[in-house]
Amino acid sequence: MVRVRFAPSPTGHLHIGGARTALFNWLFARHEGGVFVLRIEDTDRTRSTEEYIESIMEGMKWLNLDWDEGPFRQTDRFDVYKSCVDKFLAEGKAYHCYCTPEELEERRQKALAEGRPPRYDGRCRLLKEPVPGRTPSVRFKMPQTGQTVVNDLIRGPVSFDNSQLDDFIIARSDGTPTYNFVVVVDDVEMKITHVIRGDDHLNNTPKQIHIYTSLGYETPKFAHLPMIMGHDKTRLSKRHGATSVMAYKEMGYLPDALINYLARLGWSCGDQEIFTREELKARFSMEHIGKSAAVFNPEKLLWLNGEYIRKTSPEELTDLVMPFLIAKGLVKDPETPEGSAWLTNNKQWLRKAVASLTERSKTLVQIAGAMEFYLLDTVEVDPQAREKFLNSETLNYLADVRGGLSGLQEFTHDALEKVFQEIVAKHDTKLAKVAQPVRVAVTGGTVSPGIFDVLEIIGRERTLKRLEKAMKLAGYEL
RNA sequence: GUCCCCAUCGUCUAGUCCGGCCUAGGACAUCGCCCUUUCAAGGCGGUAACAUGGGUUCGAAUCCCAUUGGGGACGCCA
């Protein structure tokens, strides 16, 4: 039975890189019919917060990455680690180190300045007596000769000279255990079979392998995923724009689109670009994960999001856009009585309006923004559009359209089109000449869905009002 | 500085393991054309890559070595 885990440290929100690691673990578990465990690595008490734990889980829930076990928290398990440390100490596999952080830092700087590797020199290994007045940390005794080989599923065998590895701290002087130690204790106890994590952990792996050995356990299989980088090929960070997963929610991205994008970042399946979740689960395999780092490309994500928006039904899309409409104050919150009443009366109409915009929108935010001329009573006309399309030359068209529409029986797409065609014929001109001024009049700008759809959705009353206002702007006097 | 990893269009990648099917395929972006009621969407087409140098071989994007470039690690962070 395959068992994998996602083990974030709650020192920040769930970011793009973390989400990709979580996704690959989740996909592998789902593909193999295994178990996906969530474990919170919060041994660093000074930097871990409850808020970030909540935030990370919120991000995973939004992405629909459900876990089967956990969340386990390492701070709940300190007694387990403590007994392992004591055991190592008793067996001579670890020792007390009385060097202070300040001393270590000083030596590190000195070594770096002199061009030497900044490794711990093992000086406390031979200490027989405690150093008075100091509380020691605990270091693990690494072998000093030989080689350690990591058999990575993605990279193949990677070997390290043990002489390169130093005795690392497994318990701080305050008694709390550190990452390289607890990660192994937990993976053993949680029976993790495959450790899938970022590339940045590859160098830690030989250290961890020796902990497994000292604990008397087999190592799990390792798979180190290539990193995600920004456009300048440096590690992805805030400088590259939004990195937190929830920021993408706020920008109007669909979780499935982000998932699809992230899946293709480092993994491929022939020429296929778009995958449903089921396809992803069915086709995911470790063999098709690439080895080289990938640049995060927001433009391709935006394209994918547009694809997903167009695949979403108007009903669902309307529900998804609602929060953005409420936030913009275009729609009253349906939690309130009046908002609720409005929505029940206008749901179909709202869906039609949303549907008209899906083809030309790539985010929910774009849809919500474009909804303004449907939902507001009046529109503000863009000055440039006004100058170009609301003037003495177009006044006749506007007047004819107003005249034609005021007597129209059915205010529908087809009926509207007929009126426009008559006016076009009468003036022996092109539809664009008539449509564009009307578009400016009713939407305030030069860009919108098809004009007949727009008019039908806006309705006769508001259309006529806006046309009249536009005629005044064009110089019409009563 | 030391160690580790990586290297195909601007970007994500197919092809690499099992050399010939590759005059290197797809996607995003970009450019042009078509469609057209504006903007999109859609259709068609274009520009654009095997980092460099050595080998091995009848033959190398594919195998080997070196160089260069990029990334990562070297914490009482994870």
Side-chain angles (χ1 to χ4, degrees):
Chain A
M1 167 74 94
V2 161
R3 292 176 61 87
V4 296
R5 69 350 184 241
F6 174 52
S9 99
T11 54
H13 299 287
L14 181 63
H15 54 94
I16 292 295
R20 209 268 305 249
T21 304
L23 172 64
F24 279 34
N25 274 284
W26 181 85
L27 282 175
F28 185 66
R30 295 292 170 261
H31 179 82
E32 301 288 334
V35 173
F36 179 48
V37 178
L38 176 61
R39 184 173 75 219
I40 306 295
E41 309 237 327
D42 56 351
T43 55
D44 184 354
R45 288 167 138 161
T46 60
R47 296 200 301 156
S48 302
T49 70
E50 292 302 315
E51 288 69 39
Y52 285 136
I53 295 177
E54 283 305 316
S55 161
I56 288 167
M57 294 201 291
E58 187 192 2
M60 289 180 67
K61 282 177 188 159
W62 181 65
L63 289 172
N64 258 300
L65 298 176
D66 56 318
W67 55 93
D68 307 303
E69 293 179 19
F72 299 111
R73 294 186 50 170
Q74 296 184 318
T75 40
D76 292 337
R77 300 168 42 76
F78 273 5
D79 49 334
V80 177
Y81 312 129
K82 177 83 168 56
S83 65
C84 283
V85 171
D86 290 345
K87 191 160 158 266
F88 273 11
L89 245 15
E91 291 170 348
K93 290 172 177 166
Y95 61 92
H96 288 295
C97 171
Y98 291 87
C99 301
T100 65
E102 294 73 32
E103 287 168 349
L104 293 167
E105 184 54 26
E106 197 186 316
R107 283 180 227 152
R108 200 170 5 252
Q109 291 307 328
K110 191 159 177 257
L112 241 22
E114 291 170 6
R116 287 181 290 114
R119 282 192 287 270
Y120 178 66
D121 57 13
R123 64 176 65 192
C124 294
R125 256 196 193 213
L126 307 169
L127 237 45
K128 298 265 184 334
E129 297 297 319
V131 177
R134 288 189 180 185
T135 42
S137 60
V138 179
R139 281 187 190 269
F140 180 72
K141 258 188 213 172
M142 287 288 288
Q144 292 169 313
T145 56
Q147 286 203 322
T148 304
V149 177
V150 179
N151 280 306
D152 192 90
L153 257 23
I154 294 171
R155 280 151 224 286
V158 180
S159 60
F160 296 83
D161 276 332
N162 289 153
S163 60
Q164 297 291 331
L165 278 17
D166 62 357
D167 294 345
F168 59 99
I169 289 176
I170 58 174
R172 303 179 180 91
S173 46
D174 67 0
T176 59
T178 62
Y179 168 74
N180 277 122
F181 179 66
V182 293
V183 72
V184 175
V185 173
D186 282 347
D187 284 342
V188 163
E189 186 149 322
M190 295 173 191
K191 298 188 160 40
I192 298 304
T193 57
H194 299 256
V195 171
I196 305 169
R197 75 224 310 189
D199 216 353
D200 47 343
H201 288 288
L202 185 56
N203 289 287
N204 287 323
T205 310
K207 293 180 181 177
Q208 293 168 14
I209 284 174
H210 290 290
I211 300 279
Y212 279 102
T213 311
S214 294
L215 248 22
Y217 288 97
E218 295 276 301
T219 56
K221 301 237 184 289
F222 293 102
H224 288 95
L225 306 172
M227 304 262 83
I228 299 177
M229 296 182 301
H231 54 84
D232 56 357
K233 303 218 172 182
T234 62
R235 203 181 179 134
L236 197 62
S237 72
K238 291 107 232 143
R239 293 184 304 122
H240 300 105
T243 52
S244 106
V245 164
M246 293 315 272
Y248 285 88
K249 181 188 180 190
E250 281 157 29
M251 291 189 291
Y253 285 81
L254 266 28
D256 282 1
L258 223 207
I259 288 285
N260 193 149
Y261 179 73
L262 256 19
R264 279 286 288 103
L265 210 55
W267 173 81
S268 62
C269 185
D271 284 341
Q272 191 170 347
E273 294 286 349
I274 298 178
F275 302 83
T276 64
R277 252 175 219 259
E278 290 310 311
E279 283 177 314
L280 243 26
K281 284 196 264 182
R283 301 191 189 167
F284 183 79
S285 81
M286 217 77 103
E287 291 92 78
H288 288 97
I289 298 176
K291 295 178 184 178
S292 46
V295 173
F296 183 78
N297 184 348
E299 282 165 347
K300 188 161 181 179
L301 171 60
L302 186 63
W303 164 76
L304 250 182
N305 203 55
E307 294 288 316
Y308 273 83
I309 281 186
R310 267 175 270 137
K311 281 202 304 189
T312 308
S313 70
E315 293 75 38
E316 201 180 327
L317 208 49
T318 304
D319 292 344
L320 291 168
V321 172
M322 271 305 279
F324 294 94
L325 294 176
I326 295 165
K328 285 177 75 81
L330 291 170
V331 162
K332 288 214 172 69
D333 194 331
E335 298 293 308
T336 65
E338 44 179 336
S340 162
W342 182 88
L343 188 61
T344 37
N345 288 332
N346 293 284
K347 197 152 207 166
Q348 288 309 320
W349 175 80
L350 198 61
R351 285 173 180 172
K352 210 157 75 171
V354 168
S356 77
L357 292 165
T358 59
E359 208 165 69
R360 59 211 85 226
S361 305
K362 289 183 175 172
T363 67
L364 299 175
V365 166
Q366 283 178 10
I367 296 179
M371 287 289 284
E372 280 190 7
F373 58 76
Y374 287 138
L375 290 161
L376 262 21
D377 282 335
T378 55
V379 292
E380 190 120 335
V381 177
D382 172 71
Q384 282 194 347
R386 172 188 170 175
E387 197 177 325
K388 194 166 176 199
F389 294 106
L390 304 183
N391 50 43
S392 53
E393 290 166 47
T394 61
L395 188 53
N396 273 344
Y397 300 142
L398 290 168
D400 281 358
V401 170
R402 188 190 60 150
L405 298 194
S406 54
L408 198 61
Q409 292 289 325
E410 297 266 293
F411 208 77
T412 59
H413 178 288
D414 292 355
L416 288 159
E417 180 165 17
K418 202 169 286 171
V419 170
F420 273 70
Q421 292 302 351
E422 282 162 15
I423 295 167
V424 168
K426 173 183 161 193
H427 290 275
D428 189 27
T429 184
K430 287 197 272 190
L431 179 57
K433 291 281 181 195
V434 181
Q436 203 58 354
V438 173
R439 173 171 284 117
V440 172
V442 297
T443 70
T446 56
V447 172
S448 84
I451 192 67
F452 311 126
D453 291 317
V454 169
L455 296 185
E456 182 185 318
I457 293 165
I458 287 174
R460 186 200 313 267
E461 198 187 327
R462 285 190 299 164
T463 296
L464 292 177
K465 265 193 204 153
R466 290 181 194 182
L467 281 172
E468 280 153 24
K469 187 180 156 200
M471 285 166 67
K472 280 180 198 150
L473 290 173
Y476 178 73
E477 281 168 40
L478 291 162

